[in-house]
Amino acid sequence: MTDTTTPEGVDIAGATIAVLGGTGDQGRGLARRFALAGNPVVIGSRKAERAEMAAADLVAAERTEIDVRGTDNAAAAAEGDIVIVAVPWEGHRDLLVSLAEPLAGKIVVDCVNPLGFDKRGPYALPVAEGSAAQQAAEVLPESRVTAAFHHVSATVLLDPEVEEVDLDVLVLGEDRAATDVVRALADRVPGARGVFGGRLRNAHQVEALTANLIAVNRRYKTHAALRVTGL
């Protein structure tokens, strides 16, 4: 099958990728994969020391040289050409409000899933703006906000035995050029493919679907992902 989804003329090989909240499993996993692809990566955290330790651990764990550094979230936001938001939902709005200035004009990739958990399992939380991505767009009016990387398993991203990630990454946004860049970023991960998934108003169901995948993973003891057929 011919892959017709890869954006043409989009070159992000030298782009610096900043990951806010990059000390969590998902943030570290994404940072690892983009660094292995050859991109400079900056991990951000509330405390620079935690980010520096996370970066050092990633570098030490790899057999090949990778460019990963750690600093606080504000410095990471300023340094990144593309900025991924991988913070806990509880601190999402406040962090982005505080970083509106360094994030102005930049492509911001929100991968936060507003979920709750109880004895019946995971469930989607209501968000006043509609979704985490729409909240980000509201508080970052000068940024090019997209939504992506919601359904990727942190365990898979961090596993050195997994060379290719069997996954389609749904990318949503209002700015088509920005979504093309983020699709190209997804393509940097071997085995993954970026697929345009609609405008930000459709981000709620993408974020909420993570609850279903968690339920699948628990039931079948796996790390399920999504593939879009027919492309």
Short mmCIF file of all heavy atoms in Angstrom, two decimals, residues 103-145:
data_model
loop_
_atom_site.label_atom_id
_atom_site.label_comp_id
_atom_site.label_asym_id
_atom_site.label_seq_id
_atom_site.Cartn_x
_atom_site.Cartn_y
_atom_site.Cartn_z
N LEU A 103 5.73 30.82 24.47
CA LEU A 103 5.11 29.91 23.50
C LEU A 103 4.47 30.65 22.32
O LEU A 103 4.02 30.02 21.37
CB LEU A 103 4.04 29.05 24.18
CG LEU A 103 4.54 28.00 25.18
CD1 LEU A 103 3.38 27.30 25.85
CD2 LEU A 103 5.46 27.00 24.49
N ALA A 104 4.46 31.96 22.37
CA ALA A 104 3.85 32.74 21.29
C ALA A 104 4.55 32.46 19.96
O ALA A 104 5.79 32.45 19.88
CB ALA A 104 3.91 34.23 21.61
N GLY A 105 3.77 32.22 18.92
CA GLY A 105 4.30 31.98 17.59
C GLY A 105 4.78 30.56 17.35
O GLY A 105 5.15 30.23 16.21
N LYS A 106 4.77 29.72 18.36
CA LYS A 106 5.31 28.36 18.22
C LYS A 106 4.21 27.33 18.02
O LYS A 106 3.05 27.54 18.39
CB LYS A 106 6.13 27.99 19.45
CG LYS A 106 7.35 28.88 19.65
CD LYS A 106 8.25 28.36 20.75
CE LYS A 106 9.51 29.24 20.85
NZ LYS A 106 10.46 28.72 21.83
N ILE A 107 4.60 26.21 17.42
CA ILE A 107 3.69 25.07 17.32
C ILE A 107 3.69 24.36 18.67
O ILE A 107 4.73 23.93 19.17
CB ILE A 107 4.12 24.10 16.21
CG1 ILE A 107 3.97 24.78 14.84
CG2 ILE A 107 3.30 22.82 16.27
CD1 ILE A 107 4.45 23.93 13.68
N VAL A 108 2.51 24.29 19.27
CA VAL A 108 2.33 23.62 20.55
C VAL A 108 1.51 22.36 20.31
O VAL A 108 0.43 22.41 19.71
CB VAL A 108 1.62 24.55 21.55
CG1 VAL A 108 1.31 23.81 22.86
CG2 VAL A 108 2.46 25.79 21.83
N VAL A 109 2.02 21.23 20.77
CA VAL A 109 1.36 19.94 20.59
C VAL A 109 0.83 19.48 21.94
O VAL A 109 1.59 19.13 22.83
CB VAL A 109 2.33 18.88 20.03
CG1 VAL A 109 1.58 17.60 19.70
CG2 VAL A 109 3.07 19.41 18.80
N ASP A 110 -0.49 19.51 22.10
CA ASP A 110 -1.09 19.10 23.37
C ASP A 110 -1.43 17.62 23.30
O ASP A 110 -2.18 17.18 22.41
CB ASP A 110 -2.35 19.93 23.64
CG ASP A 110 -2.74 19.92 25.10
OD1 ASP A 110 -3.08 18.82 25.60
OD2 ASP A 110 -2.71 20.98 25.75
N CYS A 111 -0.88 16.83 24.22
CA CYS A 111 -1.19 15.39 24.24
C CYS A 111 -1.80 14.97 25.58
O CYS A 111 -1.76 13.81 25.96
CB CYS A 111 0.07 14.57 23.94
SG CYS A 111 1.39 14.68 25.14
N VAL A 112 -2.39 15.94 26.28
CA VAL A 112 -2.95 15.68 27.60
C VAL A 112 -4.33 15.05 27.48
O VAL A 112 -5.16 15.49 26.68
CB VAL A 112 -3.02 16.99 28.41
CG1 VAL A 112 -3.72 16.77 29.75
CG2 VAL A 112 -1.61 17.54 28.64
N ASN A 113 -4.58 14.02 28.29
CA ASN A 113 -5.86 13.33 28.32
C ASN A 113 -6.55 13.61 29.66
O ASN A 113 -6.10 13.10 30.69
CB ASN A 113 -5.67 11.82 28.16
CG ASN A 113 -5.07 11.44 26.82
OD1 ASN A 113 -5.56 11.84 25.78
ND2 ASN A 113 -3.99 10.67 26.87
N PRO A 114 -7.62 14.40 29.68
CA PRO A 114 -8.33 14.66 30.94
C PRO A 114 -9.16 13.43 31.34
O PRO A 114 -10.27 13.23 30.87
CB PRO A 114 -9.23 15.85 30.61
CG PRO A 114 -8.72 16.42 29.32
CD PRO A 114 -8.15 15.24 28.59
N LEU A 115 -8.60 12.62 32.20
CA LEU A 115 -9.25 11.37 32.61
C LEU A 115 -9.39 11.29 34.12
O LEU A 115 -8.56 11.83 34.87
CB LEU A 115 -8.43 10.16 32.13
CG LEU A 115 -8.23 9.98 30.63
CD1 LEU A 115 -7.37 8.75 30.37
CD2 LEU A 115 -9.56 9.87 29.89
N GLY A 116 -10.43 10.61 34.54
CA GLY A 116 -10.58 10.26 35.94
C GLY A 116 -10.53 8.75 36.09
O GLY A 116 -10.69 8.01 35.11
N PHE A 117 -10.30 8.30 37.31
CA PHE A 117 -10.23 6.86 37.57
C PHE A 117 -10.99 6.55 38.86
O PHE A 117 -10.85 7.26 39.87
CB PHE A 117 -8.77 6.41 37.72
CG PHE A 117 -7.95 6.58 36.48
CD1 PHE A 117 -7.34 7.79 36.18
CD2 PHE A 117 -7.78 5.53 35.58
CE1 PHE A 117 -6.59 7.96 35.03
CE2 PHE A 117 -7.04 5.68 34.43
CZ PHE A 117 -6.44 6.90 34.15
N ASP A 118 -11.79 5.51 38.80
CA ASP A 118 -12.45 5.02 40.01
C ASP A 118 -12.45 3.50 39.96
O ASP A 118 -11.80 2.90 39.08
CB ASP A 118 -13.85 5.60 40.17
CG ASP A 118 -14.79 5.27 39.01
OD1 ASP A 118 -14.51 4.29 38.29
OD2 ASP A 118 -15.79 5.98 38.83
N LYS A 119 -13.17 2.86 40.85
CA LYS A 119 -13.13 1.39 40.90
C LYS A 119 -13.77 0.74 39.67
O LYS A 119 -13.59 -0.45 39.44
CB LYS A 119 -13.80 0.89 42.17
CG LYS A 119 -15.25 1.27 42.32
CD LYS A 119 -15.77 0.80 43.68
CE LYS A 119 -17.22 1.21 43.88
NZ LYS A 119 -17.71 0.76 45.21
N ARG A 120 -14.49 1.53 38.87
CA ARG A 120 -15.06 1.01 37.63
C ARG A 120 -14.13 1.20 36.44
O ARG A 120 -14.43 0.74 35.34
CB ARG A 120 -16.41 1.67 37.36
CG ARG A 120 -17.45 1.41 38.43
CD ARG A 120 -18.72 2.20 38.19
NE ARG A 120 -19.36 1.83 36.93
CZ ARG A 120 -20.40 2.48 36.43
NH1 ARG A 120 -20.89 3.54 37.06
NH2 ARG A 120 -20.93 2.09 35.28
N GLY A 121 -13.01 1.91 36.66
CA GLY A 121 -12.05 2.09 35.59
C GLY A 121 -11.91 3.54 35.16
O GLY A 121 -12.39 4.46 35.82
N PRO A 122 -11.23 3.77 34.02
CA PRO A 122 -10.99 5.13 33.54
C PRO A 122 -12.23 5.71 32.86
O PRO A 122 -13.05 4.98 32.31
CB PRO A 122 -9.86 4.93 32.53
CG PRO A 122 -10.06 3.55 32.01
CD PRO A 122 -10.60 2.75 33.16
N TYR A 123 -12.34 7.04 32.92
CA TYR A 123 -13.45 7.72 32.24
C TYR A 123 -13.02 9.15 31.90
O TYR A 123 -12.11 9.71 32.52
CB TYR A 123 -14.70 7.75 33.13
CG TYR A 123 -14.52 8.48 34.45
CD1 TYR A 123 -14.87 9.82 34.60
CD2 TYR A 123 -13.99 7.82 35.56
CE1 TYR A 123 -14.70 10.48 35.81
CE2 TYR A 123 -13.81 8.46 36.76
CZ TYR A 123 -14.17 9.80 36.88
OH TYR A 123 -13.98 10.45 38.07
N ALA A 124 -13.65 9.71 30.87
CA ALA A 124 -13.31 11.05 30.41
C ALA A 124 -13.90 12.10 31.35
O ALA A 124 -15.07 11.99 31.76
CB ALA A 124 -13.81 11.26 28.99
N LEU A 125 -13.11 13.10 31.67
CA LEU A 125 -13.57 14.20 32.50
C LEU A 125 -14.17 15.31 31.62
O LEU A 125 -13.70 15.55 30.51
CB LEU A 125 -12.42 14.78 33.30
CG LEU A 125 -11.78 13.86 34.35
CD1 LEU A 125 -10.55 14.53 34.94
CD2 LEU A 125 -12.78 13.53 35.45
N PRO A 126 -15.20 16.00 32.11
CA PRO A 126 -15.73 17.15 31.35
C PRO A 126 -14.75 18.31 31.39
O PRO A 126 -14.08 18.55 32.40
CB PRO A 126 -17.02 17.49 32.10
CG PRO A 126 -16.81 16.98 33.50
CD PRO A 126 -15.95 15.76 33.37
N VAL A 127 -14.61 18.99 30.27
CA VAL A 127 -13.73 20.15 30.15
C VAL A 127 -14.56 21.32 29.64
O VAL A 127 -15.24 21.18 28.61
CB VAL A 127 -12.56 19.86 29.19
CG1 VAL A 127 -11.66 21.09 29.07
CG2 VAL A 127 -11.76 18.66 29.65
N ALA A 128 -14.53 22.43 30.34
CA ALA A 128 -15.39 23.57 29.99
C ALA A 128 -15.20 24.01 28.55
O ALA A 128 -16.16 24.35 27.85
CB ALA A 128 -15.12 24.72 30.95
N GLU A 129 -13.95 24.00 28.08
CA GLU A 129 -13.65 24.45 26.72
C GLU A 129 -13.94 23.38 25.67
O GLU A 129 -13.87 23.65 24.48
CB GLU A 129 -12.19 24.89 26.62
CG GLU A 129 -11.81 26.07 27.48
CD GLU A 129 -11.48 25.67 28.92
OE1 GLU A 129 -11.58 24.45 29.25
OE2 GLU A 129 -11.13 26.57 29.72
N GLY A 130 -14.22 22.17 26.11
CA GLY A 130 -14.49 21.06 25.20
C GLY A 130 -13.45 19.98 25.26
O GLY A 130 -13.76 18.80 25.16
N SER A 131 -12.18 20.36 25.41
CA SER A 131 -11.08 19.40 25.45
C SER A 131 -9.84 20.10 26.00
O SER A 131 -9.80 21.34 26.08
CB SER A 131 -10.78 18.85 24.05
OG SER A 131 -10.32 19.90 23.20
N ALA A 132 -8.84 19.32 26.34
CA ALA A 132 -7.58 19.92 26.79
C ALA A 132 -6.96 20.77 25.69
O ALA A 132 -6.43 21.85 25.94
CB ALA A 132 -6.62 18.81 27.23
N ALA A 133 -7.03 20.27 24.45
CA ALA A 133 -6.44 21.01 23.34
C ALA A 133 -7.15 22.34 23.12
O ALA A 133 -6.51 23.36 22.83
CB ALA A 133 -6.49 20.16 22.07
N GLN A 134 -8.48 22.34 23.24
CA GLN A 134 -9.22 23.60 23.09
C GLN A 134 -8.91 24.55 24.24
O GLN A 134 -8.87 25.77 24.04
CB GLN A 134 -10.71 23.31 23.00
CG GLN A 134 -11.12 22.68 21.67
CD GLN A 134 -12.55 22.19 21.69
OE1 GLN A 134 -12.85 21.21 22.37
NE2 GLN A 134 -13.42 22.87 20.97
N GLN A 135 -8.71 24.02 25.42
CA GLN A 135 -8.29 24.86 26.54
C GLN A 135 -6.94 25.50 26.24
O GLN A 135 -6.74 26.70 26.47
CB GLN A 135 -8.21 24.06 27.83
CG GLN A 135 -7.86 24.90 29.04
CD GLN A 135 -7.76 24.06 30.31
OE1 GLN A 135 -6.69 23.62 30.67
NE2 GLN A 135 -8.90 23.85 30.97
N ALA A 136 -6.02 24.70 25.70
CA ALA A 136 -4.70 25.24 25.35
C ALA A 136 -4.83 26.34 24.31
O ALA A 136 -4.17 27.39 24.40
CB ALA A 136 -3.81 24.11 24.82
N ALA A 137 -5.68 26.13 23.31
CA ALA A 137 -5.86 27.15 22.28
C ALA A 137 -6.44 28.43 22.85
O ALA A 137 -6.10 29.53 22.40
CB ALA A 137 -6.76 26.61 21.17
N GLU A 138 -7.30 28.29 23.83
CA GLU A 138 -7.92 29.48 24.44
C GLU A 138 -6.90 30.30 25.21
O GLU A 138 -6.91 31.53 25.15
CB GLU A 138 -9.07 29.07 25.35
CG GLU A 138 -9.76 30.26 26.03
CD GLU A 138 -10.93 29.84 26.88
OE1 GLU A 138 -11.92 29.36 26.31
OE2 GLU A 138 -10.86 30.00 28.12
N VAL A 139 -6.03 29.63 25.97
CA VAL A 139 -5.08 30.37 26.81
C VAL A 139 -3.78 30.72 26.07
O VAL A 139 -2.96 31.46 26.59
CB VAL A 139 -4.78 29.61 28.12
CG1 VAL A 139 -6.05 29.36 28.90
CG2 VAL A 139 -4.04 28.31 27.85
N LEU A 140 -3.62 30.16 24.87
CA LEU A 140 -2.43 30.45 24.05
C LEU A 140 -2.87 31.00 22.69
O LEU A 140 -2.61 30.39 21.64
CB LEU A 140 -1.58 29.19 23.86
CG LEU A 140 -1.03 28.51 25.11
CD1 LEU A 140 -0.35 27.19 24.73
CD2 LEU A 140 -0.04 29.43 25.83
N PRO A 141 -3.51 32.17 22.66
CA PRO A 141 -4.05 32.67 21.40
C PRO A 141 -2.98 33.01 20.37
O PRO A 141 -3.28 33.09 19.17
CB PRO A 141 -4.83 33.92 21.82
CG PRO A 141 -4.18 34.36 23.10
CD PRO A 141 -3.78 33.08 23.78
N GLU A 142 -1.75 33.22 20.80
CA GLU A 142 -0.67 33.57 19.87
C GLU A 142 0.12 32.34 19.42
O GLU A 142 1.07 32.47 18.65
CB GLU A 142 0.28 34.58 20.53
CG GLU A 142 -0.40 35.86 20.99
CD GLU A 142 -1.07 36.59 19.83
OE1 GLU A 142 -0.48 36.64 18.73
OE2 GLU A 142 -2.20 37.09 20.02
N SER A 143 -0.25 31.16 19.89
CA SER A 143 0.45 29.93 19.52
C SER A 143 -0.35 29.17 18.47
O SER A 143 -1.54 29.39 18.27
CB SER A 143 0.66 29.04 20.75
OG SER A 143 1.43 29.69 21.74
N ARG A 144 0.33 28.25 17.81
CA ARG A 144 -0.29 27.39 16.80
C ARG A 144 -0.56 26.04 17.46
O ARG A 144 0.27 25.12 17.41
CB ARG A 144 0.62 27.27 15.59
CG ARG A 144 0.99 28.63 15.00
CD ARG A 144 2.17 28.53 14.04
NE ARG A 144 1.81 27.82 12.81
CZ ARG A 144 2.71 27.45 11.90
NH1 ARG A 144 4.00 27.69 12.09
NH2 ARG A 144 2.30 26.83 10.80
N VAL A 145 -1.70 25.92 18.10
CA VAL A 145 -1.99 24.76 18.94
C VAL A 145 -2.52 23.60 18.10
O VAL A 145 -3.42 23.76 17.28
CB VAL A 145 -3.01 25.12 20.04
CG1 VAL A 145 -3.40 23.88 20.84
CG2 VAL A 145 -2.42 26.19 20.97
#
